[in-house]
Amino acid sequence: MPQPLLVSFVGGPYGSWAVERMTTITGPGLANVEHLAVLEGSEIQPASGVWTLRGVTSNERSVERTERVALVARQQGLNRAEATCAALIPITKNTAWWELTQDERRLIFEVRSRHIAVGLEYLPAVSRRLHHGRDLGEEFDFLTWFEYRRDDTTAFEDLVGRLRETEEWSYVEREIDIRLAR
């Protein structure tokens, strides 16, 4: 397994991703920005950022071996030249979620909500990487990053719509949907 990677998403006047829209799904929003910079590791954050969301990659906590094998076999890498669209979806889950045991969360996450199974249906068109903010004491528990081709926008919208209809999403107390293009 690769070492954990600290990633900062900096919203402001500069960055390689242009913000096409920011939609607050639930909870408090973020200040609108024009661009997003994605900084990995120890890269210095630009002083001109309006906000910075930080997360760290980690071991895959909610997948079983067979699911991991399937994800690795189908997942395309990030930074593909043809993937000119992206989405950053910061999410915070409520206290009730965190009071559940790991096996109770797994039951909701995959057995009943089918989060991984649904996501597999959209690979390899949509690449993704999960960042954990809760581990760092950040304002969002998860920073979900997706990249896809403009032609796959409808598929991505379908994926997000299906996940938001699941039991798992009843535990989300804050969610912002930030759509980007480069």
Side-chain angles (χ1 to χ4, degrees), residues 12-139:
Y14 307 104
S16 58
W17 292 94
V19 175
E20 293 188 328
R21 75 176 191 266
M22 289 180 61
T23 306
T24 300
I25 306 301
T26 187
L30 290 170
N32 286 323
V33 295
E34 295 177 14
H35 293 275
L36 183 78
V38 181
L39 307 176
E40 297 182 349
S42 60
E43 293 183 47
I44 297 172
Q45 299 175 10
S48 59
V50 174
W51 46 257
T52 299
L53 306 178
R54 294 178 336 127
V56 65
T57 61
S58 183
N59 61 308
E60 295 167 327
R61 302 172 188 190
S62 299
V63 299
E64 294 178 346
R65 172 69 56 194
T66 57
E67 294 161 341
R68 184 178 191 287
V69 168
L71 287 167
V72 169
R74 296 188 65 192
Q75 168 88 6
Q76 295 270 329
L78 297 176
N79 298 312
R80 294 174 292 152
E82 67 274 12
T84 59
C85 295
L88 173 63
I89 304 179
I91 293 172
T92 297
K93 291 190 176 177
N94 63 25
T95 303
W97 176 261
W98 296 110
E99 288 177 346
L100 296 169
T101 62
Q102 182 65 28
D103 61 317
E104 290 170 321
R105 287 194 297 266
R106 168 71 189 182
L107 184 68
I108 294 166
F109 174 79
E110 185 57 26
V111 175
R112 295 201 298 253
S113 296
R114 300 184 61 248
H115 188 118
I116 297 165
V118 169
L120 276 166
E121 293 177 32
Y122 297 90
L123 294 177
V126 178
S127 297
R128 89 296 181 256
R129 185 167 68 185
L130 180 64
H131 309 85
H132 298 268
R134 183 178 178 84
D135 297 356
L136 303 173
E138 293 291 316
E139 65 181 302

Side-chain angles (χ1 to χ4, degrees), residues 97 107-108 112-113 163-171:
W97 176 261
L107 184 68
I108 294 166
R112 295 201 298 253
S113 296
L163 290 174
R164 286 184 179 138
E165 292 174 355
T166 65
E167 177 185 355
E168 178 192 0
W169 246 253
S170 68
Y171 291 90

